[in-house]
Amino acid sequence: MLDELSLSTTVFGRERAGLPVEKMLDLIAEAGYRHIEISRHHDLAGRTETVRRAGLRVWSIHGVSGAAAASLDERGRRRQVDDECRRIEALACFAPAPCVVHYVDRRLDREYGRQFRRSIEEIHAFAVRFGFTVAVETAPYKPQVDERYPDSAEIAAFVRSFATPDLRMTVDINHSNLHERLDAVAANCDGLIANVHLSDNHGQWEDHLPPGEGIIDLKQTFAQLRLHGYEGPANLEYHVPEPPDAAALRRVRLRTLELLGWQRE
């Protein structure tokens, strides 16, 4: 799957405010993409035939768990894990796509970390029953919100501590660019990278800009990800103010291929 692109459906915003699933998939295919990541804001449960008819393949699935996965309130933590497991089961028709989960151990109190580990243990045990790989995502730097920043070395060490091939990582370039060198991030995650999230920013906030609208050297970064074992597509997870049409999606696709130094068509 080298030198291919994937597009997260997050570009269309939340499902209830956006396009019907069929139209959304048709626009993605018309723009020339062949792979998608199912955003946490979209429900494609059981829609294998809908995806197939559009000429698409599900590359990855974004999970729904958030900060409550590390909650000290056991009922809240349990509810969050159950929500994630329900989504995994509902989308089992798309296994073995990587299933992305956020790394939410961002408190100084170590008990939050122990609770988060319990959540990942439970989510992972459930996911492997359906053939999924769980891919823990690198975190954004948010000192205004989070008590501490878990860097890529910490998250990689967390993943390695499970010593299982079906718990790996998603490197979010937009997140990691805010507080780390991206070549160091790729090296820290060596051999663990099951998925990437690709978007741009100006180095200050997780803007999730389309590639080329910020400061990230996409070609060099992706070369480093390849060097450290990533073999999947460049998976775009960018945001725009309004749901795009096929022409806008195609422009981003061609611009991304150009920035990566890949063949345009």
Side-chain angles (χ1 to χ4, degrees):
M1 200 174 293
L2 295 176
D3 296 1
E4 293 189 31
L5 302 183
S6 174
L7 179 68
S8 171
T9 62
T10 195
V11 72
F12 293 101
R14 294 181 181 273
E15 185 169 358
R16 63 177 177 269
L19 301 168
V21 165
E22 292 82 1
K23 179 63 174 175
M24 180 180 73
L25 296 178
D26 285 345
L27 289 173
I28 293 171
E30 184 181 344
Y33 296 89
R34 293 292 174 262
H35 305 273
I36 60 169
E37 176 176 281
I38 303 175
S39 162
R40 56 187 165 158
H41 300 310
H42 294 102
D43 180 13
L44 270 71
R47 306 295 288 273
T48 50
E49 185 60 23
T50 304
V51 174
R52 188 195 66 78
R53 280 200 302 267
L56 298 170
R57 174 193 169 197
V58 173
W59 159 250
S60 55
I61 293 164
H62 203 303
V64 294
S65 58
S71 177
L72 303 187
D73 170 18
E74 180 56 22
R75 286 195 303 175
R77 189 197 70 82
R78 182 73 258 160
R79 188 161 51 246
Q80 184 81 108
V81 169
D82 289 346
D83 285 348
E84 190 70 80
C85 290
R86 277 192 291 270
R87 180 167 171 82
I88 287 168
E89 185 170 12
L91 296 172
C93 56
F94 298 116
C99 183
V100 181
V101 295
H102 287 149
Y103 188 88
V104 295
D105 176 16
R106 306 180 194 177
R107 299 286 191 93
L108 295 174
D109 185 343
R110 293 184 179 180
E111 187 59 30
Y112 286 90
R114 285 188 279 271
Q115 289 291 84
F116 178 62
R117 186 177 186 90
R118 286 183 62 200
S119 295
I120 293 300
E121 287 171 349
E122 293 165 4
I123 291 167
H124 171 256
F126 190 84
V128 297
R129 289 168 47 191
F130 296 94
F132 285 108
T133 293
V134 175
V136 183
E137 185 175 357
T138 58
Y141 178 63
K142 292 183 175 181
Q144 305 91 336
V145 177
D146 298 324
E147 292 180 3
R148 68 180 196 89
Y149 172 65
D151 64 15
S152 58
E154 173 184 328
I155 299 172
F158 173 83
V159 170
R160 288 191 176 101
S161 72
F162 285 79
T164 177
D166 40 35
L167 185 65
R168 300 179 68 195
M169 292 184 68
T170 293
V171 172
D172 189 308
I173 293 170
N174 174 68
H175 288 176
S176 297
N177 181 63
L178 299 177
H179 205 58
E180 298 184 66
R181 284 177 41 184
L182 291 173
D183 58 342
V185 172
N188 288 338
C189 303
D190 182 72
L192 296 176
I193 309 168
N195 185 32
V196 300
H197 283 161
L198 189 158
S199 60
D200 215 336
N201 62 44
H202 294 289
Q204 301 298 318
W205 192 252
E206 52 168 330
D207 303 300
H208 287 285
L209 300 173
E213 294 190 10
I215 63 171
I216 298 175
D217 186 332
L218 196 59
K219 184 176 183 178
Q220 179 180 349
T221 298
F222 222 82
Q224 288 297 310
L225 294 170
R226 291 284 192 238
L227 180 65
H228 291 284
Y230 181 60
E231 297 181 344
N235 185 25
L236 279 72
E237 190 202 41
Y238 66 92
H239 300 166
V240 289
E242 300 293 335
D245 58 17
L249 293 174
R250 182 178 176 84
R251 283 194 297 272
V252 173
R253 183 177 73 84
L254 295 177
R255 177 61 171 152
T256 302
L257 291 172
E258 179 183 354
L259 290 167
L260 287 166
W262 296 353
Q263 186 174 343
R264 290 175 61 90
E265 293 290 349

